[in-house]
Amino acid sequence: MPGEFDLIRRHFTRPASHTALAAGDDAALLAPRAGMQLAVSTDMLVAGTHFFADTEPTDLGWKTLAVNVSDLAAMGAEPRWAFLALALPTADDAWLAAFADGLFACAENFGLDLAGGDTTRGPLNLCATVIGEVPAGTALTRAGARPGDLLWVSGQPGRAALGLQALRDGLALSAAGRTACLAALHHPQPRVALGLALRGIASAALDVSDGLLGDLRHLLAASRCGALIEHAALPLGALLADGAPPAIAEAALLGGGDDYELLFTAPPAQRDTLAAMAGELALPLHCIGQLNADSGQVLLRAPDGSVHLPTTGGYDHFAC
Amino acid sequence: MPGEFDLIRRHFTRPASHTALAAGDDAALLAPRAGMQLAVSTDMLVAGTHFFADTEPTDLGWKTLAVNVSDLAAMGAEPRWAFLALALPTADDAWLAAFADGLFACAENFGLDLAGGDTTRGPLNLCATVIGEVPAGTALTRAGARPGDLLWVSGQPGRAALGLQALRDGLALSAAGRTACLAALHHPQPRVALGLALRGIASAALDVSDGLLGDLRHLLAASRCGALIEHAALPLGALLADGAPPAIAEAALLGGGDDYELLFTAPPAQRDTLAAMAGELALPLHCIGQLNADSGQVLLRAPDGSVHLPTTGGYDHFAC
């Protein structure tokens, strides 16, 4: 039945803008620009683990690429090329058309050529690999933070976790809150412009995919630092306004994953620069704490001044 | 259960030799050498479609990378980096250790750094992406063949298909034949050295993954040529010596996939060069026919001189 392959190929073949040779040969051919290092990330999304089987295919197409693009953003890399391997239980034309629409919307939004891929029959599985370019020596990593650096997070972490609870557990939110939280869950906005702007300014960065505290611990482990988070500085107000009860809002903000905001550190001297950057990018940047020399340790200072260990952990796909 | 992630990470973390920043950050960082284009290929292997669920994990680890490396060989690219995403139903320590052994055996054999990946829970699915380097403008593609070029195939196509039939259908082979055919099926040898040697000599190339005739049609479509295959020149002798009945041997050679030999074209003036190359690489190179201007058409000339359409087709994963 080569007809099925032709059908699938039709959905995923659109003109490439900066690829020497795209899909159709044994491999794609890319010509990186001189002086560039390549950032490469691969993520596999599985029905039942990362998304509900009945997720709108347009959303799924967007998110399949977006979670990878977010990894490039966290490295300060410019997205350039994407590859998609997918296993499908059936070749459903309408589903594929909608999935491809979402995928290409994300690709076009962030300047990616879909340069190749693979399709096979099997339980639904989506594996995207993205390649970005970053001038040699300027990539943001997890390892550069120093004691005294301030800790920042972009946008509104927590909404994707609230959206998931609204869908899965019937969590009641305001109408506008539900809309915002489902959008965060289904249509995450990788912070590419922020990642590019942070080159030379942030000392370390990563994206919040496993939960703010869980990802913070990764950054602290790589940088051999500790952190003190100021509870009063956490961007909880918007989540409360969305209709989330305070304890659920806090757990979503600190422990929820899937928001794909950037968590980063920068010397205190960069505070004004970052405030101006937030305005230019129309993206809130919240200074939520400071790093110290207590390797790996995360503490939370309550509004009353007391300091304690946070109780909310990160997210582990093998635990869900 | 972060313990499971640690376990998995332990199996797949080995020192990288030529990667600026390997697994452990949001993305890997690679520094391509100046003047190089990158060849990128991704393949997804699914239990039940591409391999039996009880396949030896060491073989599976080897093959997961080898099928991708073969795509780089077909482009004349030097393998450099690999990324592995896998979905696992359970975290089985012994299985993972054996799988990783096979994977790294292949990586080390062909000079690949395993530079990153992803692991998640789900039905067994293995997705490898490999990146190779090729001097700009020298990659082998499917599109350069001309009428009059000779058609060549390397090694012994057909053995993997016979191995599959021996396992699945109980096809009787000689003891030595069965060993050779199962080795071809489980432990394919990507023709990297041949691909590199063919730069500047072959006019077009691809690897035989979907069956010799099926892949030949891809080459002919890209090059807008036809081909006449000489039955007498097909390397059937070894398959007959393996114990395969003549009709089964011919069908395996022309229609079986999974051998990962290279099928390529070259001007007749390169015949002596290719004969010498076969000797240097200790790899048989069979001249099995010639290209003509009959776009897309494949004909087979029988030993009695009669010419007919071949009846064996290619391999389609959606048909199995």
Side-chain angles (χ1 to χ4, degrees):
Chain A
M1 289 186 283
E4 285 194 288
F5 275 119
D6 291 344
L7 179 156
I8 293 164
R9 200 170 292 126
R10 204 181 68 228
H11 287 299
F12 293 105
T13 304
R14 297 194 190 179
S17 75
H18 50 263
T19 304
L21 179 65
D25 215 295
D26 293 276
L29 279 180
L30 320 178
R33 292 172 292 187
M36 292 290 190
Q37 285 185 321
L38 299 176
V40 186
S41 171
T42 188
D43 272 294
M44 183 174 266
L45 302 184
V46 177
T49 300
H50 300 91
F51 58 88
F52 297 115
D54 63 354
T55 299
E56 285 294 331
T58 311
D59 290 333
L60 199 53
W62 173 280
K63 192 164 176 175
T64 297
L65 265 194
V67 301
N68 275 286
V69 170
S70 177
D71 284 320
L72 299 185
M75 302 296 287
E78 181 187 346
R80 295 281 283 164
W81 298 283
F83 296 81
L84 175 71
L86 67 169
L88 300 168
T90 57
D92 176 331
D93 197 43
W95 192 95
L96 282 165
F99 179 86
D101 278 349
L103 187 87
F104 280 102
C106 188
E108 286 159 18
N109 200 68
F110 295 103
L112 286 160
D113 273 356
L114 184 69
D118 189 26
T119 311
T120 186
R121 186 186 291 284
L124 184 57
N125 184 305
L126 310 163
C127 185
T129 302
V130 294
I131 303 180
E133 287 180 321
V134 54
T138 71
L140 306 172
T141 73
R142 303 177 174 191
R146 300 270 172 83
D149 284 355
L150 299 178
L151 178 66
W152 299 75
V153 68
S154 66
Q156 186 53 65
R159 276 197 166 131
L162 294 180
L164 181 63
Q165 288 178 67
L167 278 187
R168 192 184 57 189
D169 310 325
L171 175 69
L173 297 168
S174 70
R178 183 180 170 92
T179 300
C181 291
L182 291 180
L185 178 66
H186 291 313
H187 212 264
Q189 299 294 324
R191 301 306 187 188
V192 171
L194 175 60
L196 297 178
L198 288 176
R199 294 200 302 227
I201 290 169
S203 51
L206 80 182
D207 72 331
V208 182
S209 54
D210 294 340
L212 196 152
L213 288 182
D215 285 311
L216 173 57
R217 290 193 180 97
H218 296 152
L219 187 153
L220 296 176
S223 293
R224 300 171 189 221
C225 288
L228 178 64
I229 294 176
E230 301 291 344
H231 189 281
L234 294 173
L236 278 163
L239 304 184
L240 300 175
D242 288 343
I248 288 176
E250 185 175 329
L253 195 157
L254 292 176
D258 244 12
D259 283 299
Y260 304 100
E261 295 295 351
L262 294 190
L263 183 70
F264 60 95
T265 58
Q270 299 288 0
R271 187 189 273 274
D272 290 349
T273 302
L274 289 164
M277 191 187 294
E280 283 158 23
L281 298 176
L283 176 68
L285 299 178
H286 312 282
C287 178
I288 61 169
Q290 190 163 26
L291 270 63
N292 55 50
D294 297 337
S295 185
Q297 174 96 291
V298 179
L299 292 170
L300 193 65
R301 179 149 54 199
D304 67 6
S306 64
V307 168
H308 57 97
L309 289 166
T311 52
T312 311
Y315 179 76
D316 183 335
H317 290 305
F318 267 78
C320 82
Chain B
M1 290 186 283
E4 283 194 291
F5 276 119
D6 291 344
L7 180 156
I8 292 164
R9 199 171 293 124
R10 203 181 69 228
H11 287 299
F12 294 106
T13 303
R14 297 194 191 180
S17 74
H18 50 264
T19 304
L21 179 65
D25 215 297
D26 292 277
L29 280 179
L30 320 178
R33 292 172 292 188
M36 291 290 190
Q37 285 186 322
L38 299 176
V40 185
S41 171
T42 189
D43 272 295
M44 183 174 266
L45 302 184
V46 177
T49 300
H50 300 92
F51 59 90
F52 296 115
D54 63 354
T55 300
E56 285 295 330
T58 312
D59 290 334
L60 198 54
W62 173 280
K63 190 164 177 175
T64 297
L65 266 194
V67 300
N68 276 284
V69 170
S70 177
D71 284 320
L72 298 184
M75 302 296 288
E78 181 187 348
R80 295 282 283 164
W81 298 282
F83 297 81
L84 174 71
L86 65 169
L88 300 167
T90 57
D92 176 331
D93 198 43
W95 192 95
L96 281 164
F99 179 86
D101 278 349
L103 188 87
F104 280 102
C106 187
E108 286 158 19
N109 201 70
F110 295 104
L112 286 160
D113 272 355
L114 183 67
D118 189 25
T119 312
T120 188
R121 186 186 289 286
L124 184 57
N125 185 304
L126 310 163
C127 184
T129 301
V130 295
I131 303 180
E133 288 181 320
V134 54
T138 71
L140 306 172
T141 73
R142 303 177 175 191
R146 301 269 172 83
D149 284 354
L150 298 179
L151 178 66
W152 298 76
V153 69
S154 66
Q156 187 53 64
R159 275 197 165 132
L162 293 181
L164 181 63
Q165 287 178 69
L167 278 187
R168 192 184 56 190
D169 310 325
L171 175 69
L173 297 169
S174 70
R178 183 180 169 92
T179 299
C181 291
L182 290 181
L185 177 66
H186 290 314
H187 212 265
Q189 299 294 326
R191 302 305 186 188
V192 172
L194 175 61
L196 297 178
L198 288 176
R199 295 199 302 226
I201 290 169
S203 51
L206 81 181
D207 72 330
V208 182
S209 54
D210 294 340
L212 197 153
L213 287 181
D215 285 311
L216 173 58
R217 289 192 180 99
H218 296 151
L219 187 154
L220 296 176
S223 293
R224 300 171 190 223
C225 289
L228 177 64
I229 295 177
E230 301 290 344
H231 190 282
L234 293 174
L236 277 163
L239 304 184
L240 300 175
D242 288 342
I248 288 177
E250 183 174 331
L253 196 158
L254 293 176
D258 246 13
D259 282 298
Y260 305 100
E261 296 294 351
L262 294 190
L263 183 69
F264 60 95
T265 59
Q270 299 288 1
R271 186 189 275 271
D272 290 348
T273 302
L274 289 164
M277 190 186 296
E280 284 158 23
L281 298 176
L283 176 68
L285 299 178
H286 312 281
C287 178
I288 61 169
Q290 189 163 29
L291 270 63
N292 55 47
D294 298 337
S295 185
Q297 175 96 290
V298 179
L299 293 169
L300 193 65
R301 179 149 51 200
D304 66 5
S306 65
V307 167
H308 57 97
L309 288 167
T311 52
T312 310
Y315 179 77
D316 183 332
H317 290 303
F318 268 78
C320 81

